[in-house]
Amino acid sequence: MTTNKLLDLFDNHDGEYVSGELISRELNVSRTAVWKQIRKLESQGYQFEASRRLGYKLLSIPDQYSPEKLNGLLQTQHFARPVHWFDSVDTTQNVAQQLAENGAPEGTLVIAEQQNNGRGRMGRGWISPKGKGIWMSMVLRPTIPVHFAPQLTLLTAVALCRSLRRLTAMPIGIKWPNDLLIDGKKISGILLESAAQDTMLRYIIAGIGISVNLETSDYPDELLERVTSLRIASGKKLEREAVIADFMLEYEQLYNAYQANGFEPIAALWESLSVSLHKPARLTTPQGVIDGVPIALDQSGAIEVRLEEGNTVLVFSAEMGEPAN
Ligand code: BTN
């Protein structure tokens, strides 16, 4: 019996007692084997309540990654193979970049429990407390021209949105270009950094931050209006390994589809998950502020914005915010 199967069983009986008899019947093992597996899980940081009459109730899951658990759940061919695990790093982006420079294959993933200098878009930082979220960076080596790199940012957001919707059943949407929101609050950020030779990409480092089990006390007060976590939004702690395994499979499948069929199908998925289209917005670009209504995604990954005068412009990079009035 694997502990993963046992954990699945507790997942199906969320917050309830599961009798030793039911476990041994469902998993086809002896009661002693069940007891041993429970002890093993306890040694890994899981907490159970045990009742002679009722059986076992899972009280809490550990705040530390189990590489063994992720390995048991992964169904990908190349993504997250291999995984480099770290307790604490400045940023997983730099570690993955170094690995890529040294020839690490596509799919190489760097995961850290904690980042001391997490990097966000537009020169911002990224809050990455220990054991609470998923802070990871993956090496991609697509054979595409540099100007298509934004397509992969959008693809990453689509894959993550589809996976998190499936896992949490919550109404998660994408704000252009790549923030994931629940009820208008950010739960994830994506940062793609690339290295190029002439016009072709050498590699991309896809940095993904998912606020999984953070609590309100993990954020500065002034941020709480704009950010949340899956735990705060759903009231439930999630197993980070299960989130990573599901996302990696979705990501690999979409990436393969992109290589085979191009960006158009991905753009259609992005539009269907977007919460930014057809609503007035103010876009702060490096060239200045634009007020208008985003109406479509362009093939390059830019957003097409209809201005008040009726004409449209393409915006490639901006911070999207509330409209002026
Ligand atoms: C954003 O500003 O929304 C992007 C945030 C990206 C955060 C992730 S966490 C893993 C990886 N390492 C970093 O330092 N940043 C990315």
Side-chain angles (χ1 to χ4, degrees):
M1 166 175 52
T2 66
T3 47
N4 281 348
K5 286 211 177 112
L6 183 54
L7 288 170
D8 279 348
L9 202 62
F10 281 105
D11 211 28
N12 295 336
H13 294 83
D14 192 22
E16 298 169 8
Y17 275 101
V18 188
S19 72
E21 190 193 334
L22 186 135
I23 302 173
S24 72
R25 196 174 58 237
E26 294 267 322
L27 303 182
N28 201 16
V29 293
S30 71
R31 297 283 291 270
T32 318
V34 172
W35 182 83
K36 277 194 186 153
Q37 290 299 323
I38 297 275
R39 286 289 95 84
K40 183 170 171 199
L41 285 170
E42 281 177 337
S43 74
Q44 293 169 0
Y46 292 84
Q47 289 183 330
F48 294 91
E49 198 163 271
S51 145
R52 195 162 297 182
R53 203 166 55 80
L54 301 170
Y56 303 95
K57 179 157 82 174
L58 179 59
L59 295 180
S60 70
I61 58 175
D63 282 332
Q64 224 189 349
Y65 278 121
S66 156
E68 187 194 10
K69 180 167 177 64
L70 179 63
N71 215 18
L73 294 172
L74 268 181
Q75 295 177 53
T76 50
Q77 277 201 310
H78 301 293
F79 279 26
R81 301 191 188 273
V83 179
H84 295 258
W85 296 95
F86 292 87
D87 196 42
S88 172
V89 294
D90 272 353
T91 155
T92 52
Q93 290 296 94
N94 290 359
V95 180
Q97 186 195 357
Q98 201 53 55
L99 288 164
E101 285 293 341
N102 293 336
E106 177 159 273
T108 298
L109 183 64
V110 174
I111 303 180
E113 288 285 10
Q114 167 182 348
Q115 298 186 114
N116 302 314
N117 198 8
R119 200 146 70 223
R121 287 174 63 229
M122 314 251 175
R124 285 190 292 247
W126 184 256
I127 296 173
S128 323
K130 191 179 186 81
K132 299 260 182 145
I134 296 175
W135 326 125
M136 62 184 181
S137 301
M138 193 165 76
V139 178
L140 291 172
R141 296 187 180 278
T143 41
I144 55 171
V146 178
H147 63 273
F148 281 170
Q151 296 182 340
L152 282 170
T153 307
L154 299 163
L155 183 153
T156 308
V158 170
L160 190 56
C161 190
R162 281 163 64 93
S163 167
L164 292 182
R165 276 189 174 203
R166 185 165 52 229
L167 289 168
T168 66
M170 283 193 287
I172 301 173
I174 308 175
K175 180 181 137 191
W176 183 82
N178 53 3
D179 286 349
L180 296 197
L181 307 183
I182 299 179
D183 289 336
K185 293 186 177 182
K186 180 159 164 169
I187 44 128
S188 160
I190 294 167
L191 175 70
L192 262 65
E193 297 176 316
S194 53
Q197 170 124 47
D198 302 324
T199 58
M200 294 301 277
L201 281 171
R202 282 176 54 227
Y203 60 80
I204 284 182
I205 304 300
I208 296 133
I210 315 172
S211 302
V212 183
N213 293 327
L214 283 82
E215 298 165 274
T216 48
S217 56
D218 291 312
Y219 295 106
D221 280 350
E222 64 274 17
L223 267 190
L224 280 171
E225 262 180 31
R226 283 183 285 128
V227 302
T228 188
S229 73
L230 296 174
R231 180 180 186 176
I232 296 169
S234 71
K236 258 180 71 173
K237 257 175 110 175
L238 283 179
E239 288 216 279
R240 290 175 299 164
E241 296 87 344
V243 177
I244 295 172
D246 191 273
F247 166 58
M248 281 293 143
L249 184 61
E250 182 73 38
Y251 199 12
E252 183 172 271
Q253 285 170 346
L254 275 193
Y255 185 71
N256 290 343
Y258 169 74
Q259 306 261 43
N261 309 317
F263 185 61
E264 222 167 291
I266 308 291
L269 287 175
W270 187 95
E271 290 195 344
S272 72
L273 295 169
S274 160
V275 291
S276 330
L277 290 180
H278 314 299
K279 289 185 206 144
R282 163 162 285 196
L283 292 106
T284 308
T285 77
Q287 290 78 34
V289 168
I290 296 175
D291 290 309
V293 181
I295 51 170
L297 195 65
D298 171 69
Q299 282 306 301
S300 63
I303 197 127
E304 194 180 346
V305 180
R306 178 173 298 128
L307 306 178
E308 262 178 21
E309 309 83 67
N311 54 330
T312 62
V313 289
L314 276 182
V315 179
F316 290 88
S317 166
E319 189 62 21
M320 190 181 274
E322 295 295 314
N325 42 46

